[in-house]
Amino acid sequence: MSTDKSASWSFAEGLPDEDPVLLRARERAFELGVPSVSPGTGMALSVLAATAKARTAVEIGTGAGVSGVYLLRGLSPQAVLTSIDHDVEHLRAARVAFAEAGVPANRTRTISGKAQDVLPRLTDGAYDLVFVDADKPNAPLYAQQAVRLLKPGGVLLLNDALDRDRVANPAGREPVTVTLRQLIKRLREDDSLLTTVFTVGDGLLAAVKR
Ligand SMILES: C[S@@+](CC[C@H](N)C(=O)[O-])C[C@H]1O[C@@H](n2cnc3c(N)ncnc32)[C@H](O)[C@@H]1O
């Protein structure tokens, strides 16, 4: 039996057939120099949002809206996505992507500001899904806020949780790598959560609040 995991990874990443809306959003992201979720991660976001039957979701790190489009495609038709970014150019590009995706304006709330400042203003226990995809050093803070924001049964998703294969390598001692490794350990040890890391994209951590 073949053990070529990279071939399986490439196969899975190639499965989503991205439409012109997503391809244009990726182009805008490229022009702005902001990364976007991989196609495999995007599709996982759609599937997980649909599985959670999420009606209220928060995204930390809007970027040019690629992940937002994937989330909105999985969320319930009446669901509202609150998306936070401190870069107004990114938010503008994301709003274009959401409009091109045919999402009514009342289904998205884009908030301009630092996530550290905005998150404490959001209501406890009011959200079904929180997706974290912003500055990695603050991932523990965002995860802590996410757990506060989630309803019981809600899900926290953290993008790039494996830090380009560095988290899995015990010799990887860069500060962000150590932060993410410790965060995964802490979330796994938290009995109020059910946590795993999907090996899609650069690792998608998922933690359900029991
Ligand atoms: C990786 S990109 C997000 C990509 C987006 N989730 C996607 O896949 O389309 C990270 C985003 O987080 C934003 N960001 C970084 N630090 C932030 C902070 N402290 N508060 C709010 N936004 C932040 C950046 O401006 C950037 O748009």
Side-chain angles (χ1 to χ4, degrees):
M1 195 175 93
S2 162
T3 56
D4 184 358
K5 297 276 193 299
S6 67
S8 297
W9 183 90
S10 300
F11 175 80
E13 284 294 330
L15 286 179
D17 195 8
E18 293 198 326
D19 66 358
V21 170
L22 282 166
L23 294 177
R24 277 197 296 275
R26 284 196 188 281
E27 261 174 48
R28 284 188 285 272
F30 179 76
E31 281 159 17
L32 289 166
V34 61
S36 305
V37 290
S38 72
T41 301
M43 209 54 223
L45 293 179
S46 293
V47 169
L48 290 166
T51 306
K53 298 188 173 59
R55 298 174 66 98
T56 47
V58 175
E59 176 177 55
I60 305 166
T62 315
V66 173
S67 54
V69 169
Y70 272 111
L71 282 168
L72 286 157
R73 286 178 175 173
L75 292 167
S76 311
Q78 309 81 1
V80 175
L81 173 68
T82 298
S83 192
I84 304 163
D85 205 295
H86 63 183
D87 189 312
V88 290
E89 291 296 318
H90 296 178
L91 288 171
R92 193 170 298 133
R95 282 189 212 106
V96 173
F98 300 158
E100 286 190 4
V103 177
N106 62 0
R107 287 197 56 210
T108 59
R109 177 168 66 139
T110 49
I111 302 182
S112 164
K114 283 188 182 172
Q116 306 88 304
D117 301 333
V118 175
L119 289 168
R121 303 204 300 261
L122 303 185
T123 309
D124 288 11
Y127 297 89
D128 299 300
L129 184 153
V130 177
F131 174 53
V132 179
D133 190 20
D135 47 329
K136 293 294 171 288
N138 277 317
L141 170 71
Y142 301 153
Q144 186 191 17
Q145 284 290 321
V147 171
R148 178 184 67 77
L149 295 174
L150 286 171
K151 300 175 189 171
V155 63
L156 156 67
L157 301 170
L158 170 70
N159 193 34
D160 294 334
L162 295 176
D163 196 23
R164 284 169 282 164
D165 292 331
R166 290 190 284 229
V167 165
N169 176 4
R173 304 302 305 165
E174 294 83 353
V176 166
T177 308
V178 173
T179 297
L180 290 170
R181 194 181 290 128
Q182 287 174 345
L183 177 59
I184 293 169
K185 182 170 183 291
R186 190 160 56 71
L187 294 175
R188 282 193 61 237
E189 288 172 353
D190 184 337
D191 288 338
S192 71
L193 301 170
L194 198 56
T195 301
T196 191
V197 179
F198 296 113
T199 52
V200 65
D202 187 23
L204 180 67
L205 178 142
V208 174
K209 184 168 173 177
R210 293 183 195 254

